[in-house]
Amino acid sequence: MDKAPTDIRHNLDGAEPFSQPRLVGTHWGFYEHGDRPDRLEPFRSDPDPVAFGSEFIADRLAPARILKPAVRRSFLENGPGSGRRGAEPFVEVSWDEALDLVASEITRVKTTHGSGAIFSGSYGWSSAGRFHHAQSQLKRFFNMAGGSVRSVQTYSYAAGEVILPHVIGTTSGMITGHTPWSQIAGHAELIVMFGGTPLRNAQVNAGGASRHTARDALKACHQSSARIINISPVRDDVEGDIGAEWLPLRPCTDTALILALSHTLIADGLYDEAFIAGYTAGFETFRAYVMGEADGIAKTAIWASAITGIDAQVITDLARQMASHKTFIMMAWSLQRADHGEQPYWAAIALAALLGGIGLPGRGFGFGYASVASIGQPTVPVRWPSLPQGRNPIADYIPVARIADMLLQPGAEYDHNGQKRIYPDIKLVYWAGGNPFHHHQDLNRLVEAWQKPDTIIAHEHWWNAHARHADIVLPAATFFERDDVVASGRDAFIAYSAGIAEAPIGVSTDHEILRRIAGRLGIEADFTEGLTETQWLERLYEDARRDAAERNIELPGMDEFRQCGLVEVAPAQKDEPFLAAFRADPVLKPLNTPSGRIELASEVIAGFGYDDCPGHPTWLAPCEWLGASVAQSYPLHLLSCQPHDKLHSQWDHAAPSRRTKSRGRQPVRLNPDDAAKRGLAEGDLVEVASKRGSCLAIATITDALMPGVVQLATGAWFDPSDPEVQGSLELNGNPNVLTPDHGTSRLAQGPSPNACLVEIRKFEGNAKQVRIYQSASLVDDPRMPDPETPAETLG
Ligand SMILES: Nc1nc2c(c(=O)[nH]1)N[C@H]1C(S)=C(S)[C@@H](COP(=O)(O)OP(=O)(O)OC[C@H]3O[C@@H](n4cnc5c(=O)[nH]c(N)nc54)[C@H](O)[C@@H]3O)O[C@H]1N2
Ligand SMILES: Nc1nc2c(c(=O)[nH]1)N[C@H]1C(S)=C(S)[C@@H](COP(=O)(O)OP(=O)(O)OC[C@H]3O[C@@H](n4cnc5c(=O)[nH]c(N)nc54)[C@H](O)[C@@H]3O)O[C@H]1N2
Ligand SMILES: [Mo]
């Protein structure tokens, strides 16, 4: 047995182990219970802890907290389908009444329409923890209750998830399995970062992060003298003093740039012919397209210059530099979150193939470095546990970002990765642990789509737009209020997260809520398997322990684990570049593609006949970009990046997020030229408008953005000024009222928020205050009609 790696003292870097449970695990890292009730201390072994995580606890019981089950008034009075979601007050009810209502709605929909009319995709990050993972709880529940329609893919990297298996036979190199930082720093001479490596994003990791190492990894790259080039519309996409050169380009034009780099390599005979011959398929098709033999347009540097805005000479020079140095290509996940998002990924792989370094230290490619904390960390040697979900008797699913299409067009046909599919007719939507009014695009359209189902049920902590657009709202405990086993499939720790406070009276864990509904449906024994929450944590930990033991790694027993809090396992020995095995022997270790090689052209994709995703990397202009005709009315390209002060919409009401706002509203960043053209000064209240909607924000002027590009982070809670009226001005600066809601292509059907044009003007009127951080069951909420009816407690 390999005892050393699991020595708990090792995990505290020589400090005494804890004498009682005292760690809290979050998606943004670990924190220690300290002496103060209003803040947590950063985990002592984390070299770069995330500051915002210390403060959230102070806002655990803020006015936005949901404290009782509640039902939308029309729904309660007139039943399913009545009234307008998002525009009504809620009536608090007893748990029994709420749960009876939920159980009877599930039964009614199932009996009348079948389980295929229930949607439980419930996408979202929820909170860290393997047991209380809300989506897993919900899926397990519905799998036992007769099934439901689910969703596949993510908002994070849907286009990548679908294209990469066609090209390299795996999603490794994007989700996990990257070339580790240790094989980049000291090896790469040139690192070309498309979309940079913003450390703000490396703060988080799904499931948690024991140590934040991206900052040090980037520093090591710099110190080992790698030249770093940040190709992005935004200069500070590479943070810190690591000597990055900024090469700004118009958003969504990276594919054109890469094709032109490829053109130079091919035209100048600088590409690696042996690698192309031995490891790739489809080069001739790709070459003919790049050289213009296929369509009469040579993808030269001059051609790309007109599209990207980068000087042609700079493009040819860069291609030559890449050919003459050990070059590593990094590309952020964001690039594929746009129309034709499949293309920059495919093109980047083709470019890396031309350079010939794939599978070697310091060379090749990887997607998502610094997109989350764990990318580039060594492989996890143990399979961490997850809640068993059982089998879903319903086979139907949708690509996750097509939710509004599904609700608005039941029965309509759509394409997905070679299949013709039909949208189901959904009558009941159940959501726990995600916020569609954060994550989805074109929220005004989502609001209308959200009116379609008979019944919408939500578990939430806060009276955010997700809760306010439901019919039945069930208050869920936060991670501060429960114990859990925390682990991430991308990090080599398992931890015991210890609750630090009691849940408010009337608030339950997601599991407990579902258990009680399961009891009403007669499936409680299946759902719980007779285990309490504490016993489930033991079972999950024992699963991990057994798996570890099979790999000769000894994890401590449950009691010791609970007490010490965090157990780290030494990384798997293999510390090699991505695709090293394929590189070493492409015959014995072929890729899982039809040719067994890297597909620079794919007959399978060509066979689908999609004009929006042809059979090789292709420049296809998005609907909205700075070269589109719409740019005459909406001349600014909006980037809606991740927020640096929180995770998505979580804890937007809390102090760290509030501090980044100006007069209570979200900042929008823009270039001085664009501000001057519009007569805008720093701190002006502005209206940001697209073809789809508009929101208020505060102008923040910076030369970190190239002219023509503006940046409004996601995360402000959606707060329409008049919820009765479709598309009314949004007050809080939520960019998803602006972004388009269509698939990346018929191949992946991923979300496309980053191809979005807007205009900005000074807001002259009397702006309404943001009101979303209040309770929706307050009678004096300005939005609530009929204030004489007091919110009743009917239980
Ligand atoms: N314009 C634009 N839109 C985007 C993106 C973008 O770049 N631009 N990024 C996209 C990406 S990559 C993603 S992953 C999505 C993220 O979208 P989401 O994951 O849906 O966003 P969150 O705000 O994390 O939503 C989690 C919700 O669950 C609640 N919650 C947390 N813990 C628990 C729990 O234990 N139980 C219950 N019941 N509820 C809980 C929180 O209060 C919150 O409302 O957004 C996408 N949307
Ligand atoms: N603090 C914090 N960190 C997070 C999250 C969070 O909510 N908060 N969310 C997490 C999640 S779920 C995910 S999926 C990841 C997402 O990780 P990413 O997708 O990598 O993150 P983004 O912030 O959307 O984009 C990164 C940068 O890409 C640049 N960019 C956008 N469009 C283009 C383009 O067309 N070309 C080029 N070259 N650059 C472009 C933008 O300037 C942006 O700053 O972040 C994770 N990290
Ligand atoms: Mo994501």
Side-chain angles (χ1 to χ4, degrees), residues 679-700:
L680 298 176
E682 179 77 16
D684 277 352
L685 180 63
V686 294
E687 179 178 353
V688 190
S690 77
K691 272 164 70 179
R692 293 157 290 273
S694 58
C695 66
L696 295 179
I698 303 288
T700 303

mmCIF file with all atom_site columns, all heavy atoms in Angstrom, residues 679-700:
data_model
loop_
_atom_site.group_PDB
_atom_site.id
_atom_site.type_symbol
_atom_site.label_atom_id
_atom_site.label_alt_id
_atom_site.label_comp_id
_atom_site.label_asym_id
_atom_site.label_entity_id
_atom_site.label_seq_id
_atom_site.pdbx_PDB_ins_code
_atom_site.Cartn_x
_atom_site.Cartn_y
_atom_site.Cartn_z
_atom_site.occupancy
_atom_site.B_iso_or_equiv
_atom_site.pdbx_formal_charge
_atom_site.auth_seq_id
_atom_site.auth_comp_id
_atom_site.auth_asym_id
_atom_site.auth_atom_id
_atom_site.pdbx_PDB_model_num
ATOM 1   N N   . GLY A 1 679 ? -19.809 60.579 -26.731 1.00 0.00 ? 679 GLY A N   1
ATOM 2   C CA  . GLY A 1 679 ? -19.870 61.594 -25.684 1.00 0.00 ? 679 GLY A CA  1
ATOM 3   C C   . GLY A 1 679 ? -20.005 61.014 -24.291 1.00 0.00 ? 679 GLY A C   1
ATOM 4   O O   . GLY A 1 679 ? -20.659 61.598 -23.421 1.00 0.00 ? 679 GLY A O   1
ATOM 5   N N   . LEU A 1 680 ? -19.383 59.875 -24.066 1.00 0.00 ? 680 LEU A N   1
ATOM 6   C CA  . LEU A 1 680 ? -19.523 59.209 -22.766 1.00 0.00 ? 680 LEU A CA  1
ATOM 7   C C   . LEU A 1 680 ? -18.324 59.485 -21.875 1.00 0.00 ? 680 LEU A C   1
ATOM 8   O O   . LEU A 1 680 ? -17.180 59.483 -22.337 1.00 0.00 ? 680 LEU A O   1
ATOM 9   C CB  . LEU A 1 680 ? -19.646 57.693 -22.955 1.00 0.00 ? 680 LEU A CB  1
ATOM 10  C CG  . LEU A 1 680 ? -20.860 57.206 -23.741 1.00 0.00 ? 680 LEU A CG  1
ATOM 11  C CD1 . LEU A 1 680 ? -20.800 55.691 -23.927 1.00 0.00 ? 680 LEU A CD1 1
ATOM 12  C CD2 . LEU A 1 680 ? -22.149 57.610 -23.023 1.00 0.00 ? 680 LEU A CD2 1
ATOM 13  N N   . ALA A 1 681 ? -18.594 59.685 -20.606 1.00 0.00 ? 681 ALA A N   1
ATOM 14  C CA  . ALA A 1 681 ? -17.526 59.860 -19.619 1.00 0.00 ? 681 ALA A CA  1
ATOM 15  C C   . ALA A 1 681 ? -17.569 58.692 -18.640 1.00 0.00 ? 681 ALA A C   1
ATOM 16  O O   . ALA A 1 681 ? -18.590 58.009 -18.496 1.00 0.00 ? 681 ALA A O   1
ATOM 17  C CB  . ALA A 1 681 ? -17.729 61.174 -18.875 1.00 0.00 ? 681 ALA A CB  1
ATOM 18  N N   . GLU A 1 682 ? -16.443 58.483 -17.989 1.00 0.00 ? 682 GLU A N   1
ATOM 19  C CA  . GLU A 1 682 ? -16.324 57.439 -16.958 1.00 0.00 ? 682 GLU A CA  1
ATOM 20  C C   . GLU A 1 682 ? -17.478 57.567 -15.959 1.00 0.00 ? 682 GLU A C   1
ATOM 21  O O   . GLU A 1 682 ? -17.761 58.668 -15.469 1.00 0.00 ? 682 GLU A O   1
ATOM 22  C CB  . GLU A 1 682 ? -14.974 57.609 -16.242 1.00 0.00 ? 682 GLU A CB  1
ATOM 23  C CG  . GLU A 1 682 ? -14.677 56.633 -15.134 1.00 0.00 ? 682 GLU A CG  1
ATOM 24  C CD  . GLU A 1 682 ? -14.260 55.256 -15.677 1.00 0.00 ? 682 GLU A CD  1
ATOM 25  O OE1 . GLU A 1 682 ? -13.911 55.140 -16.861 1.00 0.00 ? 682 GLU A OE1 1
ATOM 26  O OE2 . GLU A 1 682 ? -14.306 54.305 -14.876 1.00 0.00 ? 682 GLU A OE2 1
ATOM 27  N N   . GLY A 1 683 ? -18.154 56.476 -15.691 1.00 0.00 ? 683 GLY A N   1
ATOM 28  C CA  . GLY A 1 683 ? -19.202 56.493 -14.679 1.00 0.00 ? 683 GLY A CA  1
ATOM 29  C C   . GLY A 1 683 ? -20.573 56.886 -15.196 1.00 0.00 ? 683 GLY A C   1
ATOM 30  O O   . GLY A 1 683 ? -21.548 56.864 -14.424 1.00 0.00 ? 683 GLY A O   1
ATOM 31  N N   . ASP A 1 684 ? -20.674 57.206 -16.484 1.00 0.00 ? 684 ASP A N   1
ATOM 32  C CA  . ASP A 1 684 ? -22.004 57.544 -17.018 1.00 0.00 ? 684 ASP A CA  1
ATOM 33  C C   . ASP A 1 684 ? -22.934 56.333 -16.985 1.00 0.00 ? 684 ASP A C   1
ATOM 34  O O   . ASP A 1 684 ? -22.503 55.203 -17.253 1.00 0.00 ? 684 ASP A O   1
ATOM 35  C CB  . ASP A 1 684 ? -21.891 58.006 -18.484 1.00 0.00 ? 684 ASP A CB  1
ATOM 36  C CG  . ASP A 1 684 ? -21.508 59.478 -18.593 1.00 0.00 ? 684 ASP A CG  1
ATOM 37  O OD1 . ASP A 1 684 ? -21.493 60.160 -17.554 1.00 0.00 ? 684 ASP A OD1 1
ATOM 38  O OD2 . ASP A 1 684 ? -21.212 59.929 -19.727 1.00 0.00 ? 684 ASP A OD2 1
ATOM 39  N N   . LEU A 1 685 ? -24.179 56.607 -16.701 1.00 0.00 ? 685 LEU A N   1
ATOM 40  C CA  . LEU A 1 685 ? -25.197 55.562 -16.823 1.00 0.00 ? 685 LEU A CA  1
ATOM 41  C C   . LEU A 1 685 ? -25.508 55.400 -18.308 1.00 0.00 ? 685 LEU A C   1
ATOM 42  O O   . LEU A 1 685 ? -25.818 56.382 -18.994 1.00 0.00 ? 685 LEU A O   1
ATOM 43  C CB  . LEU A 1 685 ? -26.459 55.963 -16.054 1.00 0.00 ? 685 LEU A CB  1
ATOM 44  C CG  . LEU A 1 685 ? -27.611 54.959 -16.084 1.00 0.00 ? 685 LEU A CG  1
ATOM 45  C CD1 . LEU A 1 685 ? -27.230 53.636 -15.415 1.00 0.00 ? 685 LEU A CD1 1
ATOM 46  C CD2 . LEU A 1 685 ? -28.846 55.543 -15.408 1.00 0.00 ? 685 LEU A CD2 1
ATOM 47  N N   . VAL A 1 686 ? -25.403 54.181 -18.824 1.00 0.00 ? 686 VAL A N   1
ATOM 48  C CA  . VAL A 1 686 ? -25.623 53.960 -20.259 1.00 0.00 ? 686 VAL A CA  1
ATOM 49  C C   . VAL A 1 686 ? -26.656 52.864 -20.492 1.00 0.00 ? 686 VAL A C   1
ATOM 50  O O   . VAL A 1 686 ? -26.885 52.002 -19.628 1.00 0.00 ? 686 VAL A O   1
ATOM 51  C CB  . VAL A 1 686 ? -24.308 53.572 -20.986 1.00 0.00 ? 686 VAL A CB  1
ATOM 52  C CG1 . VAL A 1 686 ? -23.314 54.730 -20.962 1.00 0.00 ? 686 VAL A CG1 1
ATOM 53  C CG2 . VAL A 1 686 ? -23.703 52.301 -20.400 1.00 0.00 ? 686 VAL A CG2 1
ATOM 54  N N   . GLU A 1 687 ? -27.250 52.930 -21.676 1.00 0.00 ? 687 GLU A N   1
ATOM 55  C CA  . GLU A 1 687 ? -28.129 51.854 -22.118 1.00 0.00 ? 687 GLU A CA  1
ATOM 56  C C   . GLU A 1 687 ? -27.367 51.066 -23.178 1.00 0.00 ? 687 GLU A C   1
ATOM 57  O O   . GLU A 1 687 ? -26.872 51.640 -24.148 1.00 0.00 ? 687 GLU A O   1
ATOM 58  C CB  . GLU A 1 687 ? -29.412 52.433 -22.713 1.00 0.00 ? 687 GLU A CB  1
ATOM 59  C CG  . GLU A 1 687 ? -30.344 51.355 -23.220 1.00 0.00 ? 687 GLU A CG  1
ATOM 60  C CD  . GLU A 1 687 ? -31.661 51.927 -23.771 1.00 0.00 ? 687 GLU A CD  1
ATOM 61  O OE1 . GLU A 1 687 ? -31.899 53.148 -23.632 1.00 0.00 ? 687 GLU A OE1 1
ATOM 62  O OE2 . GLU A 1 687 ? -32.419 51.137 -24.343 1.00 0.00 ? 687 GLU A OE2 1
ATOM 63  N N   . VAL A 1 688 ? -27.241 49.781 -22.974 1.00 0.00 ? 688 VAL A N   1
ATOM 64  C CA  . VAL A 1 688 ? -26.605 48.905 -23.958 1.00 0.00 ? 688 VAL A CA  1
ATOM 65  C C   . VAL A 1 688 ? -27.730 48.178 -24.674 1.00 0.00 ? 688 VAL A C   1
ATOM 66  O O   . VAL A 1 688 ? -28.587 47.566 -24.020 1.00 0.00 ? 688 VAL A O   1
ATOM 67  C CB  . VAL A 1 688 ? -25.674 47.878 -23.269 1.00 0.00 ? 688 VAL A CB  1
ATOM 68  C CG1 . VAL A 1 688 ? -24.837 47.133 -24.301 1.00 0.00 ? 688 VAL A CG1 1
ATOM 69  C CG2 . VAL A 1 688 ? -24.773 48.556 -22.242 1.00 0.00 ? 688 VAL A CG2 1
ATOM 70  N N   . ALA A 1 689 ? -27.761 48.278 -26.010 1.00 0.00 ? 689 ALA A N   1
ATOM 71  C CA  . ALA A 1 689 ? -28.898 47.695 -26.748 1.00 0.00 ? 689 ALA A CA  1
ATOM 72  C C   . ALA A 1 689 ? -28.408 46.810 -27.876 1.00 0.00 ? 689 ALA A C   1
ATOM 73  O O   . ALA A 1 689 ? -27.400 47.107 -28.526 1.00 0.00 ? 689 ALA A O   1
ATOM 74  C CB  . ALA A 1 689 ? -29.768 48.815 -27.314 1.00 0.00 ? 689 ALA A CB  1
ATOM 75  N N   . SER A 1 690 ? -29.098 45.704 -28.093 1.00 0.00 ? 690 SER A N   1
ATOM 76  C CA  . SER A 1 690 ? -28.865 44.869 -29.269 1.00 0.00 ? 690 SER A CA  1
ATOM 77  C C   . SER A 1 690 ? -30.199 44.732 -29.992 1.00 0.00 ? 690 SER A C   1
ATOM 78  O O   . SER A 1 690 ? -31.196 45.329 -29.569 1.00 0.00 ? 690 SER A O   1
ATOM 79  C CB  . SER A 1 690 ? -28.344 43.484 -28.866 1.00 0.00 ? 690 SER A CB  1
ATOM 80  O OG  . SER A 1 690 ? -29.408 42.687 -28.392 1.00 0.00 ? 690 SER A OG  1
ATOM 81  N N   . LYS A 1 691 ? -30.225 43.917 -31.046 1.00 0.00 ? 691 LYS A N   1
ATOM 82  C CA  . LYS A 1 691 ? -31.483 43.677 -31.753 1.00 0.00 ? 691 LYS A CA  1
ATOM 83  C C   . LYS A 1 691 ? -32.528 43.029 -30.850 1.00 0.00 ? 691 LYS A C   1
ATOM 84  O O   . LYS A 1 691 ? -33.710 43.024 -31.151 1.00 0.00 ? 691 LYS A O   1
ATOM 85  C CB  . LYS A 1 691 ? -31.227 42.720 -32.935 1.00 0.00 ? 691 LYS A CB  1
ATOM 86  C CG  . LYS A 1 691 ? -30.836 43.420 -34.211 1.00 0.00 ? 691 LYS A CG  1
ATOM 87  C CD  . LYS A 1 691 ? -30.227 42.467 -35.225 1.00 0.00 ? 691 LYS A CD  1
ATOM 88  C CE  . LYS A 1 691 ? -31.227 41.484 -35.808 1.00 0.00 ? 691 LYS A CE  1
ATOM 89  N NZ  . LYS A 1 691 ? -30.572 40.585 -36.805 1.00 0.00 ? 691 LYS A NZ  1
ATOM 90  N N   . ARG A 1 692 ? -32.076 42.462 -29.740 1.00 0.00 ? 692 ARG A N   1
ATOM 91  C CA  . ARG A 1 692 ? -32.966 41.643 -28.930 1.00 0.00 ? 692 ARG A CA  1
ATOM 92  C C   . ARG A 1 692 ? -33.433 42.278 -27.628 1.00 0.00 ? 692 ARG A C   1
ATOM 93  O O   . ARG A 1 692 ? -34.430 41.849 -27.057 1.00 0.00 ? 692 ARG A O   1
ATOM 94  C CB  . ARG A 1 692 ? -32.260 40.305 -28.607 1.00 0.00 ? 692 ARG A CB  1
ATOM 95  C CG  . ARG A 1 692 ? -32.054 39.444 -29.823 1.00 0.00 ? 692 ARG A CG  1
ATOM 96  C CD  . ARG A 1 692 ? -30.930 38.463 -29.656 1.00 0.00 ? 692 ARG A CD  1
ATOM 97  N NE  . ARG A 1 692 ? -29.643 39.140 -29.637 1.00 0.00 ? 692 ARG A NE  1
ATOM 98  C CZ  . ARG A 1 692 ? -28.940 39.442 -30.741 1.00 0.00 ? 692 ARG A CZ  1
ATOM 99  N NH1 . ARG A 1 692 ? -29.366 39.073 -31.916 1.00 0.00 ? 692 ARG A NH1 1
ATOM 100 N NH2 . ARG A 1 692 ? -27.787 40.092 -30.647 1.00 0.00 ? 692 ARG A NH2 1
ATOM 101 N N   . GLY A 1 693 ? -32.698 43.277 -27.172 1.00 0.00 ? 693 GLY A N   1
ATOM 102 C CA  . GLY A 1 693 ? -33.092 43.842 -25.883 1.00 0.00 ? 693 GLY A CA  1
ATOM 103 C C   . GLY A 1 693 ? -32.099 44.901 -25.451 1.00 0.00 ? 693 GLY A C   1
ATOM 104 O O   . GLY A 1 693 ? -31.167 45.244 -26.181 1.00 0.00 ? 693 GLY A O   1
ATOM 105 N N   . SER A 1 694 ? -32.320 45.410 -24.238 1.00 0.00 ? 694 SER A N   1
ATOM 106 C CA  . SER A 1 694 ? -31.421 46.453 -23.760 1.00 0.00 ? 694 SER A CA  1
ATOM 107 C C   . SER A 1 694 ? -31.309 46.376 -22.246 1.00 0.00 ? 694 SER A C   1
ATOM 108 O O   . SER A 1 694 ? -32.220 45.883 -21.560 1.00 0.00 ? 694 SER A O   1
ATOM 109 C CB  . SER A 1 694 ? -31.943 47.825 -24.175 1.00 0.00 ? 694 SER A CB  1
ATOM 110 O OG  . SER A 1 694 ? -33.232 48.021 -23.658 1.00 0.00 ? 694 SER A OG  1
ATOM 111 N N   . CYS A 1 695 ? -30.175 46.880 -21.747 1.00 0.00 ? 695 CYS A N   1
ATOM 112 C CA  . CYS A 1 695 ? -29.983 46.906 -20.308 1.00 0.00 ? 695 CYS A CA  1
ATOM 113 C C   . CYS A 1 695 ? -29.207 48.158 -19.924 1.00 0.00 ? 695 CYS A C   1
ATOM 114 O O   . CYS A 1 695 ? -28.578 48.792 -20.764 1.00 0.00 ? 695 CYS A O   1
ATOM 115 C CB  . CYS A 1 695 ? -29.249 45.653 -19.825 1.00 0.00 ? 695 CYS A CB  1
ATOM 116 S SG  . CYS A 1 695 ? -27.560 45.520 -20.396 1.00 0.00 ? 695 CYS A SG  1
ATOM 117 N N   . LEU A 1 696 ? -29.268 48.487 -18.658 1.00 0.00 ? 696 LEU A N   1
ATOM 118 C CA  . LEU A 1 696 ? -28.494 49.610 -18.125 1.00 0.00 ? 696 LEU A CA  1
ATOM 119 C C   . LEU A 1 696 ? -27.166 49.100 -17.582 1.00 0.00 ? 696 LEU A C   1
ATOM 120 O O   . LEU A 1 696 ? -27.069 47.963 -17.107 1.00 0.00 ? 696 LEU A O   1
ATOM 121 C CB  . LEU A 1 696 ? -29.276 50.294 -16.994 1.00 0.00 ? 696 LEU A CB  1
ATOM 122 C CG  . LEU A 1 696 ? -30.579 50.985 -17.391 1.00 0.00 ? 696 LEU A CG  1
ATOM 123 C CD1 . LEU A 1 696 ? -31.248 51.586 -16.167 1.00 0.00 ? 696 LEU A CD1 1
ATOM 124 C CD2 . LEU A 1 696 ? -30.331 52.055 -18.460 1.00 0.00 ? 696 LEU A CD2 1
ATOM 125 N N   . ALA A 1 697 ? -26.162 49.967 -17.674 1.00 0.00 ? 697 ALA A N   1
ATOM 126 C CA  . ALA A 1 697 ? -24.853 49.643 -17.092 1.00 0.00 ? 697 ALA A CA  1
ATOM 127 C C   . ALA A 1 697 ? -24.112 50.952 -16.881 1.00 0.00 ? 697 ALA A C   1
ATOM 128 O O   . ALA A 1 697 ? -24.606 52.021 -17.248 1.00 0.00 ? 697 ALA A O   1
ATOM 129 C CB  . ALA A 1 697 ? -24.069 48.712 -18.020 1.00 0.00 ? 697 ALA A CB  1
ATOM 130 N N   . ILE A 1 698 ? -22.934 50.847 -16.281 1.00 0.00 ? 698 ILE A N   1
ATOM 131 C CA  . ILE A 1 698 ? -22.140 52.040 -16.008 1.00 0.00 ? 698 ILE A CA  1
ATOM 132 C C   . ILE A 1 698 ? -20.878 52.015 -16.880 1.00 0.00 ? 698 ILE A C   1
ATOM 133 O O   . ILE A 1 698 ? -20.137 51.022 -16.874 1.00 0.00 ? 698 ILE A O   1
ATOM 134 C CB  . ILE A 1 698 ? -21.718 52.080 -14.520 1.00 0.00 ? 698 ILE A CB  1
ATOM 135 C CG1 . ILE A 1 698 ? -22.947 52.017 -13.599 1.00 0.00 ? 698 ILE A CG1 1
ATOM 136 C CG2 . ILE A 1 698 ? -20.848 53.293 -14.226 1.00 0.00 ? 698 ILE A CG2 1
ATOM 137 C CD1 . ILE A 1 698 ? -23.792 53.267 -13.560 1.00 0.00 ? 698 ILE A CD1 1
ATOM 138 N N   . ALA A 1 699 ? -20.659 53.097 -17.630 1.00 0.00 ? 699 ALA A N   1
ATOM 139 C CA  . ALA A 1 699 ? -19.511 53.138 -18.546 1.00 0.00 ? 699 ALA A CA  1
ATOM 140 C C   . ALA A 1 699 ? -18.197 53.139 -17.769 1.00 0.00 ? 699 ALA A C   1
ATOM 141 O O   . ALA A 1 699 ? -18.016 53.930 -16.833 1.00 0.00 ? 699 ALA A O   1
ATOM 142 C CB  . ALA A 1 699 ? -19.587 54.383 -19.416 1.00 0.00 ? 699 ALA A CB  1
ATOM 143 N N   . THR A 1 700 ? -17.294 52.233 -18.157 1.00 0.00 ? 700 THR A N   1
ATOM 144 C CA  . THR A 1 700 ? -15.947 52.180 -17.590 1.00 0.00 ? 700 THR A CA  1
ATOM 145 C C   . THR A 1 700 ? -14.988 52.216 -18.763 1.00 0.00 ? 700 THR A C   1
ATOM 146 O O   . THR A 1 700 ? -15.020 51.332 -19.620 1.00 0.00 ? 700 THR A O   1
ATOM 147 C CB  . THR A 1 700 ? -15.760 50.873 -16.790 1.00 0.00 ? 700 THR A CB  1
ATOM 148 O OG1 . THR A 1 700 ? -16.774 50.824 -15.802 1.00 0.00 ? 700 THR A OG1 1
ATOM 149 C CG2 . THR A 1 700 ? -14.418 50.827 -16.107 1.00 0.00 ? 700 THR A CG2 1
#
